[in-house]
Amino acid sequence: MLARLSWKQVRGSRLLMGLLSAAAISWLVFAILIYLHFNTGAIELLNLVVSRLVPINSRFFLTFLGIQAVLAFFLVLLLVPPVFSRDLAHQALAYYLSRPLSKLEYAWGKLAVAAGLLSAVTWIPGLLLFGLQAGLEGQGWGRQHAHIAVALFLGSLIWMAVIALPAAALSTWMRRRLSATAALLGWFFVPGIIAGIINRGLTTPWGNLFSPLSLARIAWLALFQITTPSAHPVLHHGRMPLQAIKPVPAWCAYLTITMLAAVCIAILWRRLEPIRGVRG
Amino acid sequence: MNSSAASLTHDAFRPQRDAGRGFRAWLAYEFKRALAPRRAGALVALALLPAAIILLLGWVARWHGDNPASMLSPGFYARLFDELLLRTVVFFGCAWLFIQLVRGELTARTLHYAWLVPVRRTRLGGGKFLAGMGAALLLFGGGTLLSRLAIEYMRDLPPAGAEWGTLGGYVGVAALACLGYGAVFFLLGAGVRQPLFPALAFYGWEQINFLLPPWLQRCSIIYYLHALHPGSIPQHEWGFVPPPISYGAAIAWLLGIGALSAWLGVRRFARLEISYGGEE
Amino acid sequence: MSASIPMAAGREAEPMIRLESVSRFYGDVLGVNRISLEVSGGITSLIGPNGAGKSTLMNLIAGLIPPTRGRITVLGVTPSEAESLFPQLGFCTQYDVFPAGARGRDWVRQNLLWHGYSRGDAAAMCERALARVGMTAAAAKKLESYSKGMRQRIRLAQILAFEPRLLILDEPLNGLDPLARTEMAALFRSLAAEGRGLLISSHILHEVEAMSDRVILLRDGYLAGEGGIGSVREEIQEHELQWLVRCPKPARLAALGLEARAENGRPLINQARVFDRPEPALLLGTPAPAAFFLALNAWIARGEIEVETITPADDDLDAVYRYLFGQEGA
């Protein structure tokens, strides 16, 4: 019921439709690139060397995930703050939580729409692309590259944990949509810049642990099994490559993301109070 | 309730009103509100961030047995000032502060109190902007000053002679950034129902400024701030070389952009209607 | 559209509020349409069901929204002339919110400082207004901790403090308990006696009937009628009101009511419908509510019946409007 209500609240948004269309177009472009690899007629007609220009490998799918992740961030920005702030700003939680709805059911009901739409732009189209490539390539390509499918799925979940959970926590913390959206933007941009300065100042990769974007990227690189030097987590603004520096181990990124998710869930749990007391 | 004892003295002694005093009271109230703990907590943290990072890096360097002075060079500070102070702290800080000035009142449904005050709406709007500027100068000018003092402290070199001039230059550029960004965000807050998405687009525009052709680089604020930057910041490897501009012209442009945006914002503010539907 | 309720006598020469063919649209949605009226001193009640356009009309008068068409003059100036108008006009809006963290006394005083009073004068005026609405003791508390009734009072104190000539109060009795309503009504009467004008909105006619000198009736954004309270009261007294009485023996109550007679010889109940489920209740129609309730008290006191609840079945204005103006007027 809550999920249906949340969907009703956002479905009329032109911005939402624009983002979903952009995600669909992006998927289509990648699907066409895969298709061109196997359509020799088209390759000859266009005089393209597609396989050399855009090789279909882990990096191809990582690039796809990266683009979809940016769109997913905008979706979160659009979807998550309003669904919580409307209820919190108007003290509606007392109504929801006085009915037989637990906090967990409430939070899940509210986040279900965001989770569904994020899935629809990240791992679902990713796996469809993977399926298309595996189907066209044949000869056991899918089995040999199963880690890509796993990476697409887990990488998407990690991204959701890095953006959707903080968005929900910030929305319940700030209570107003404007403040929550602003805080979310700050969350997205500011830590990355701080991480870059720490990395550059101390010539270390450990500053990346302060940046959710860098954390997600480290995790993705590990999941996609990409270890070439140029693929190391690049410092923000990319002015000082880290080829010479050993990157942050993936398990540190996983651990930090897990801790971050736990903190967000704790905040969410604490802030979803039916009645907020006021000290006179 | 006492309906007779404390009767209002309608025709007897009536204290004197002073319109100027009313406007000053409005200015003081808005300034205090902009710096109120609820609203300004995050801003204070943001303003202190550069100084905190410098101290952190300096102490870590000392802990490693290195000389902080070699790491915290003038070039390091010049980049930190550009990336962290101008593009992050001042940009996001002003976005938060100035958008909240108007849009925050609309979402909190309290703007009608201002509309029922015997002060012209253009003066109310002007007062809001001036109060925001005062708060921004205090926070971010102060933050710049503290960051510069933090670096001098870590380098064990008390500022002297030309150093004071450089310090003044950095604080001055930060002040002009507050004016430029503050006025643009004030206009966005007064004129757009969802100002954060245009603000995000503006952030993108400022970030890709170096990629733009010279005539488009002039259509930004960061271009003029870079022209006034007291230190030297490295040129991007790719992108266009920014067209030269004199200090005087850069200051005039920033003052002009700030004044024009603020004037438009005040006009828009004065024409706002009290219709809180759709604000969250 | 306008009903034929006679106007009250003794209107002042110069009206405090004058609306000339004022319309306000929100896009395609009608707020109010072609309203022309004049409001003078004393207490004028603006009555209409929810969504009738009362708040829109009040917001237009106070200049919070501009009219799409028409002209508004308040105390001789247009609502956009803030410096001339707002020292004389106090408006308690429908928006029951305050800036976060503010305390009652500070908030009342702050408004006085914006009006240009010195700190000393503001403090004295603030205390007088707080005393007048009975909020001195609670004034140090945060506004967020106030009950609905306290918030109504502090908002009233905020505008009373600068002693305006005209007070516009949007649903000021909302959320108040019966005692507080009586006290508030007495306060309004005393303010009117001081020569101030009060425009008070309500969606419950009986609520403001006792204190109003004049009534303006709004419906669906149109002026449905205006006139002296006497003429409206007469019309209403003729109107039969329906009540739902929950009691263990509804049939017994119906029999008592149908047998009993008012002073004018009419039956106390002329309509009765007994319900057994979901719980025993009687839906009754009475043309003489005052006499009926007097008799009901006597029956309860004598132990003839027990009553759990009494709810007006048509306390919204629809029934009154249908009665006063007919369906097409509604």
Side-chain angles (χ1 to χ4, degrees), chain A residues 15 74 77-78 82 86 174 176-179 181-182 185 189-190 193-194 197 200-202 237 239, chain B residues 49 53 57 60 71 76 79-80 83-84 88 92 96 100 103 107 194 196-197 200 203 207 236 280:
Chain A
L15 209 51
F74 285 113
L77 213 57
L78 188 71
R86 278 194 184 120
M174 311 299 284
R176 297 231 172 252
R177 179 185 185 171
L178 183 71
S179 315
T181 313
L185 283 175
F189 290 108
V190 178
I193 293 158
I194 296 169
I197 289 168
R200 200 167 47 242
L202 299 174
H237 302 294
R239 291 171 197 159
Chain B
L49 193 63
I53 288 177
L57 294 179
V60 170
M71 179 181 66
F76 172 85
R79 279 184 70 172
L80 180 132
E83 289 177 14
L84 188 63
T88 308
F92 285 104
W96 176 259
Q100 287 275 356
R103 201 49 52 179
T107 55
Q194 300 282 358
L196 289 175
F197 287 98
L200 195 56
Y203 180 73
Q207 288 298 106
H236 285 274
E280 283 148 27

Side-chain angles (χ1 to χ4, degrees), chain C residues 292-310:
Chain C
F292 168 73
F293 284 112
L294 203 61
L296 185 65
N297 279 341
W299 298 328
I300 294 168
R302 288 204 295 268
E304 292 185 53
I305 53 162
E306 287 174 28
V307 171
E308 288 167 10
T309 60
I310 304 171

Side-chain angles (χ1 to χ4, degrees), chain A residues 26-40:
Chain A
S26 155
W27 182 86
L28 204 63
V29 169
F30 277 81
I32 289 169
L33 285 174
I34 291 174
Y35 176 72
L36 284 177
H37 270 264
F38 300 96
N39 189 326
T40 48

Side-chain angles (χ1 to χ4, degrees), chain A residues 79-278:
Chain A
L79 294 174
V80 178
V83 295
F84 284 104
S85 64
R86 278 194 184 120
D87 291 347
L88 290 161
H90 300 115
Q91 276 97 41
L93 273 191
Y95 296 101
Y96 285 118
L97 300 179
S98 65
R99 290 178 182 183
L101 269 184
S102 67
K103 278 188 193 181
L104 187 66
E105 286 167 327
Y106 173 81
W108 173 241
K110 287 283 171 184
L111 283 172
V113 170
L117 287 172
L118 290 181
S119 298
V121 299
T122 53
W123 63 269
I124 293 174
L127 290 183
L128 284 174
L129 273 187
F130 179 82
L132 179 69
Q133 164 66 15
L136 290 173
E137 186 78 54
Q139 299 168 344
W141 187 92
R143 263 199 312 283
Q144 286 163 15
H145 296 84
H147 71 277
I148 292 178
V150 174
L152 282 166
F153 181 67
L154 291 181
S156 301
L157 291 191
I158 284 172
W159 186 241
M160 287 186 212
V162 162
I163 57 167
L165 280 177
L170 285 171
S171 302
T172 53
W173 186 288
M174 311 299 284
R175 302 182 86 87
R176 297 231 172 252
R177 179 185 185 171
L178 183 71
S179 315
T181 313
L184 196 54
L185 283 175
W187 166 255
F188 195 75
F189 290 108
V190 178
I193 293 158
I194 296 169
I197 289 168
I198 291 174
N199 286 348
R200 200 167 47 242
L202 299 174
T203 329
T204 172
W206 292 95
N208 287 325
L209 292 186
F210 289 95
S211 163
L213 301 189
S214 301
L215 286 172
R217 187 160 170 79
I218 293 165
W220 287 352
L221 289 170
L223 287 168
F224 280 96
Q225 298 176 7
I226 297 173
T227 51
T228 51
S230 63
H232 282 165
V234 172
L235 294 178
H236 283 270
H237 302 294
R239 291 171 197 159
M240 186 178 160
L242 268 179
Q243 286 94 332
I245 302 167
K246 202 178 165 189
V248 174
W251 68 266
C252 287
Y254 294 140
L255 185 67
T256 314
I257 290 169
T258 309
M259 282 163 55
L260 173 72
V263 169
C264 290
I265 289 167
I267 292 172
L268 198 59
W269 195 256
R270 203 177 157 78
R271 301 297 291 189
L272 286 179
E273 293 295 337
I275 294 167
R276 198 174 72 157
V278 178

Side-chain angles (χ1 to χ4, degrees), chain C residues 36-305:
Chain C
S36 293
L37 58 84
E38 291 181 352
V39 176
S40 300
I43 301 179
T44 303
S45 292
L46 187 59
I47 311 289
N50 292 327
K54 303 185 296 294
S55 295
T56 298
L57 195 62
M58 290 185 146
N59 288 346
L60 282 164
I61 292 167
L64 294 188
I65 50 173
T68 312
R69 274 196 296 271
R71 183 180 156 78
I72 301 169
T73 315
V74 185
L75 299 169
V77 296
T78 62
S80 60
E81 294 171 70
E83 283 161 323
S84 309
L85 179 62
F86 292 118
Q88 307 181 78
L89 169 69
F91 179 25
C92 274
T93 64
Q94 61 179 321
Y95 307 113
D96 186 24
V97 281
F98 300 95
R103 293 175 190 274
R105 178 172 283 108
D106 299 340
W107 186 231
V108 174
R109 201 162 39 199
Q110 186 61 59
N111 195 49
L112 289 165
L113 294 175
W114 290 340
H115 273 73
Y117 293 106
S118 69
R119 290 194 169 273
D121 288 340
M125 293 163 84
C126 167
E127 292 310 319
R128 274 208 305 271
L130 288 170
R132 194 155 196 194
V133 298
M135 283 294 290
T136 306
K141 290 184 178 174
K142 278 189 181 172
L143 290 161
E144 291 151 51
S145 68
Y146 282 7
S147 68
K148 173 88 179 170
M150 290 162 90
R151 290 204 300 272
Q152 291 277 33
R153 287 177 192 215
I154 207 78
R155 290 197 299 151
L156 189 61
Q158 197 195 24
I159 62 165
L160 280 181
F162 62 89
E163 305 178 17
R165 272 177 64 203
L166 173 64
L167 293 92
I168 301 179
L169 311 171
D170 198 348
E171 306 263 6
L173 303 177
N174 240 359
L176 299 185
D177 59 51
L179 179 64
R181 279 175 190 230
T182 312
E183 287 176 342
M184 201 67 100
L187 175 63
F188 294 159
R189 277 195 293 270
S190 76
L191 288 168
E194 288 167 13
R196 303 182 205 283
L198 283 90
L199 179 64
I200 298 171
S201 76
S202 176
H203 60 279
I204 302 171
L205 187 55
H206 294 284
E207 187 176 77
V208 288
E209 170 196 353
M211 63 174 151
S212 303
D213 302 315
R214 193 156 166 270
V215 174
I216 295 167
L217 297 160
L218 276 186
R219 173 128 181 130
D220 294 337
Y222 287 89
L223 184 66
E226 56 173 324
I229 189 65
S231 54
V232 175
R233 189 184 292 132
E234 276 171 25
E235 296 284 341
I236 288 165
Q237 278 174 353
E238 291 298 312
H239 172 52
E240 178 187 302
L241 292 173
Q242 287 195 317
W243 299 83
L244 183 70
V245 183
R246 292 213 171 82
C247 56
K249 295 175 183 170
R252 170 79 181 137
L253 176 59
L256 284 169
L258 289 165
E259 281 170 18
R261 290 284 182 274
E263 280 181 5
N264 57 10
R266 295 173 67 178
L268 289 187
I269 293 178
N270 56 8
Q271 263 185 44
R273 190 169 168 197
V274 174
F275 296 93
D276 293 325
R277 279 179 292 181
E279 45 195 339
L282 174 69
L283 180 69
L284 60 88
T286 170
F292 168 73
F293 284 112
L294 203 61
L296 185 65
N297 279 341
W299 298 328
I300 294 168
R302 288 204 295 268
E304 292 185 53
I305 53 162

Side-chain angles (χ1 to χ4, degrees), chain B residues 27 54 99 145 160 189 215:
Chain B
L27 209 60
I54 289 166
I99 286 176
L145 186 69
W215 64 274

